[in-house]
Amino acid sequence: MITQSTFGIKVSVECIYQPEYSNPTNMHFMFAYRITIENTSDHTAQLISRHWEIFDSIGEHKKVDGEGVVGEQPTLAPGELHQYVSGCNLKSDIGYMEGFYTMVREVDAAIIHVDIPRFHLIADFRLN
């Protein structure tokens, strides 16, 4: 698990290769990831949007922006957490993702960028 904290918002990521949804012959490698967002600050904050940078070892680089996470814009009071699962497909068996969440602090309406730590997408068979 990879964890990083920004402005008291802790983001943890776990990633797993999904061979049952992959087809290496057709350059399709599927990865699932679970993200836990925990508010360890003293202030309530709402997640408004996400920004992802996705790097594939064949040289492709994608940027993905969107509202919320999996259709939600969760509000986290101090001590609360939000967890979700999503996925990413690559054309190769190795890559990585990183990015940030845009959040709004309730106390002062400050817009903050909370880092999503870089995590590697590596097919299990590459680790042997």
Side-chain angles (χ1 to χ4, degrees):
M1 180 182 307
I2 306 292
T3 300
Q4 185 169 345
S5 188
T6 313
F7 298 107
I9 307 294
K10 184 168 79 170
V11 178
S12 301
V13 185
E14 297 174 86
C15 183
I16 186 165
Y17 173 60
Q18 298 192 295
E20 65 275 18
Y21 298 110
S22 299
N23 186 336
T25 305
N26 291 329
M27 296 177 60
H28 180 79
F29 299 85
M30 190 68 198
F31 299 87
Y33 55 88
R34 178 183 11 240
I35 298 207
T36 304
I37 305 164
E38 183 178 0
N39 186 351
T40 63
S41 77
D42 295 329
H43 307 289
T44 298
Q46 182 178 15
L47 191 154
I48 302 300
S49 63
R50 69 189 181 283
H51 171 82
W52 284 111
E53 306 234 356
I54 305 167
F55 298 87
D56 196 322
S57 67
I58 64 166
E60 288 190 2
H61 173 211
K62 291 188 275 186
K63 293 183 180 188
V64 178
D65 293 285
E67 289 186 6
V69 289
V70 293
E72 298 182 281
Q73 292 180 313
T75 297
L76 302 173
E80 289 185 337
L81 61 83
H82 179 78
Q83 191 173 76
Y84 71 95
V85 175
S86 191
C88 176
N89 64 298
L90 298 179
K91 291 181 181 175
S92 73
D93 52 5
I94 297 175
Y96 67 86
M97 294 176 64
E98 62 188 350
F100 61 85
Y101 298 119
T102 300
M103 300 184 78
V104 177
R105 263 193 324 233
E106 190 176 87
V107 68
D108 57 3
I111 295 173
I112 58 174
H113 286 161
V114 174
D115 293 327
I116 304 167
R118 178 181 291 188
F119 59 97
H120 296 279
L121 308 166
I122 304 174
D124 294 345
F125 61 86
R126 295 287 284 188
L127 298 173
N128 292 331

